[in-house]
C-alpha cells in the first residue's frame, strides 16, 4: 500500500499543469470542502495555519475583479472570466515566523508567511488535480483592490510576493 500511494502521489505531482481554459461545469462546495480538508494538512510555521482562501464564484464579483484587480493584464482577465471558481489566497498578518507572544523568531520576519503560502498553494493545486480540476496560480494583480472587493479583515493581506 505504501508504495502504491507513493506512485499515485508522484503521478499527481508530475501531471499537474497550469490550466487557463476550463469547462463550464461548476465546482461544487462538496469538492471545494474536500480540497480544503487536504489543504489544512499543509505545514506552516509552528502550525500557525496563517493561510486563508476566499471562494469567489459570484459572476458579478469575478467581473469586478477582472475590471479592478488585475492591473489590466489581459491573460488574467481572460482566465478569471473563464474559470467557474476563483480562489483568492491571503495570509493573517504578523502570525507566521513569530512566537505566540508576537516576537519574531526568524531573520525572514513577516516574509516567512510566503513560505507557508507557497506550501499551501501547492497542496491546494495537487488536491484539486486529484479531484480532476485544473488550476493556475496568477501573479499579476492589485492586492489592495482585491482585498477591498472581498472585504477582507484588516488583519489579512492578499498574498502579494
Amino acid at each position: 500500500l505504501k508504495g502504491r500511494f507513493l506512485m499515485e502521489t508522484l503521478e499527481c505531482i508530475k501531471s499537474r499543469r497550469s490550466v487557463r481554459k476550463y469547462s463550464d461545469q461548476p465546482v461544487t462546495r462538496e469538492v471545494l470542502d474536500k480540497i480544503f480538508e487536504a489543504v489544512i494538512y499543509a505545514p506552516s510555521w509552528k502550525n500557525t495555519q496563517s493561510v486563508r482562501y476566499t471562494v469567489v464564484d459570484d459572476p458579478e464579483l469575478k467581473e469586478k475583479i477582472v475590471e479592478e484587480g488585475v492591473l489590466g493584464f489581459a491573460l488574467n482577465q481572460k482566465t478569471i472570466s473563464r474559470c467557474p471558481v476563483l480562489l483568492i489566497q491571503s495570509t493573517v498578518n504578523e502570525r507566521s515566523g513569530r512566537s505566540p507572544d508576537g516576537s519574531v523568531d526568524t531573520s525572514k520576519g513577516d516574509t516567512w508567511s510566503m513560505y507557508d503560502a507557497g506550501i499551501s498553494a501547492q497542496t491546494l493545486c495537487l488536491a484539486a488535480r486529484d479531484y480532476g480540476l485544473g488550476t493556475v496560480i496568477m501573479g499579476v494583480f492589485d492586492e489592495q483592490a482585491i482585498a477591498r472587493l472581498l472585504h477582507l479583515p484588516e488583519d489579512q493581506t492578499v498574498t502579494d510576493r
Side-chain angles (χ1 to χ4, degrees):
L1 181 66
K2 190 173 185 178
R4 196 186 104 183
F5 179 75
L6 178 61
M7 290 299 293
E8 290 173 4
T9 302
L10 290 176
E11 183 57 32
C12 188
I13 291 167
K14 290 177 182 180
S15 64
R16 190 245 163 229
R17 300 286 182 266
S18 292
V19 176
R20 292 179 177 85
K21 294 181 182 179
Y22 307 96
S23 76
D24 59 358
Q25 293 179 348
V27 179
T28 67
R29 291 292 171 161
E30 179 184 27
V31 169
L32 287 173
D33 287 347
K34 289 178 181 180
I35 291 168
F36 290 129
E37 283 175 28
V39 171
I40 64 172
Y41 288 96
S44 62
W45 180 271
K46 294 186 177 182
N47 199 30
T48 53
Q49 300 292 315
S50 63
V51 178
R52 303 288 184 266
Y53 291 92
T54 303
V55 176
V56 180
D57 55 5
D58 174 55
E60 289 180 25
L61 181 53
K62 281 182 16 184
E63 186 57 34
K64 286 181 182 177
I65 291 171
V66 164
E67 292 170 3
E68 302 175 35
V70 294
L71 305 169
F73 186 58
L75 184 58
N76 281 358
Q77 290 173 325
K78 191 182 292 185
T79 301
I80 293 169
S81 295
R82 291 177 175 168
C83 72
V85 65
L86 180 65
L87 304 177
I88 307 289
Q89 185 188 61
S90 58
T91 55
V92 177
N93 301 331
E94 299 182 5
R95 183 179 289 180
S96 186
R98 295 173 179 261
S99 284
D101 68 4
S103 61
V104 177
D105 289 345
T106 172
S107 63
K108 302 289 183 217
D110 287 335
T111 63
W112 191 270
S113 65
M114 294 311 298
Y115 288 98
D116 291 349
I119 295 166
S120 178
Q122 178 71 350
T123 303
L124 185 140
C125 289
L126 293 174
R129 170 74 180 95
D130 201 45
Y131 284 98
L133 300 176
T135 58
V136 63
I137 298 172
M138 294 184 284
V140 179
F141 53 86
D142 181 337
E143 53 275 346
Q144 280 119 7
I146 292 175
R148 178 180 47 77
L149 290 167
L150 298 179
H151 306 287
L152 279 187
E154 288 186 22
D155 71 338
Q156 290 182 35
T157 301
V158 173
T159 306
D160 62 350
R161 293 182 182 98

